[in-house]
Amino acid sequence: GYMVAKWLGGDELTKASAVWWVRLFGTGLPCAIFLFFFYGFLGRVTSSPMARDLSFLALSLGSVFLGYSYLFASHSTSAVAAGGAFIILAHFHRQKRDGFRAETKRERTGAWLLAALAGFLTAGCTALEYPCLLFSVAFSVYALVAIRPLPRILAFGLGALVPTLLVAHFQ
């Protein structure tokens, strides 16, 4: 966010404008993107539009999700990572249950990249907040069940390696 602000705004940034840009790119946009995908996920897992809409509103407006994202608390961003990982793994599980097989090269590449993203988000929720390790372990076990064919687990592992190495470097 700071780099974009520097690129758009020139050399001088006030503290208030720098904080605004970092808040926008560091927490605001990731949370908004997650809410977009979460709404679609709710539409797939429930047949009731009212249940979908009430669940979405409860999370987005009736919880501390938005407030924490504005306070730079990593609670919201780790929730985004955990929720995103779960949505992707549920997608793979649903495809496995329905007997879907990626036939074309484009479908196989997309599934490989999606598995890598699931791994990145699974490890990312712990990278953002260490107590989320329990989620990362649970999602890793779920990935072993949900992601098929099994060699695609390698993509999950490679995606998980990125946040893991960043935390290792930080430590």
Side-chain angles (χ1 to χ4, degrees):
Y2 184 75
M3 288 181 357
V4 171
K6 292 287 279 184
W7 181 67
L8 290 175
D11 292 334
E12 246 349 273
L13 271 179
T14 66
K15 184 177 180 180
S17 64
V19 167
W20 186 86
W21 281 97
V22 172
R23 181 177 287 143
L24 174 67
F25 282 93
T27 57
L29 285 178
C31 290
I33 291 167
F34 169 73
L35 287 173
F36 173 79
F37 286 106
F38 182 66
Y39 187 77
F41 172 74
L42 289 173
R44 287 187 299 277
V45 298
T46 183
S47 59
S48 168
M50 181 180 282
R52 175 200 62 210
D53 293 346
L54 287 175
S55 298
F56 177 77
L57 288 173
L59 174 67
S60 58
L61 299 176
S63 71
V64 295
F65 183 72
L66 185 61
Y68 276 146
S69 70
Y70 285 141
L71 293 172
F72 292 127
S74 60
H75 308 320
S76 292
T77 49
S78 64
V80 164
F86 180 77
I87 289 171
I88 294 169
L89 292 172
H91 167 74
F92 278 119
H93 190 251
R94 186 175 51 255
Q95 282 186 337
K96 183 181 122 186
R97 183 193 66 212
D98 295 344
F100 176 80
R101 293 183 58 101
E103 301 294 334
T104 67
K105 182 176 181 174
R106 184 177 182 172
E107 288 174 340
R108 286 190 300 272
T109 303
W112 185 267
L113 292 173
L114 206 55
L117 179 60
F120 179 82
L121 293 172
T122 295
C125 72
T126 299
L128 291 163
E129 283 201 2
Y130 292 155
C132 289
L133 176 65
L134 297 175
F135 287 110
S136 293
V137 170
F139 292 154
S140 296
V141 171
Y142 187 29
L144 291 172
V145 173
I147 297 178
R148 292 288 182 256
L150 203 53
R152 201 175 291 151
I153 291 291
L154 177 64
F156 180 88
L158 290 174
L161 199 57
V162 175
T164 303
L165 290 176
L166 286 172
V167 169
H169 175 70
F170 174 76
Q171 292 296 334

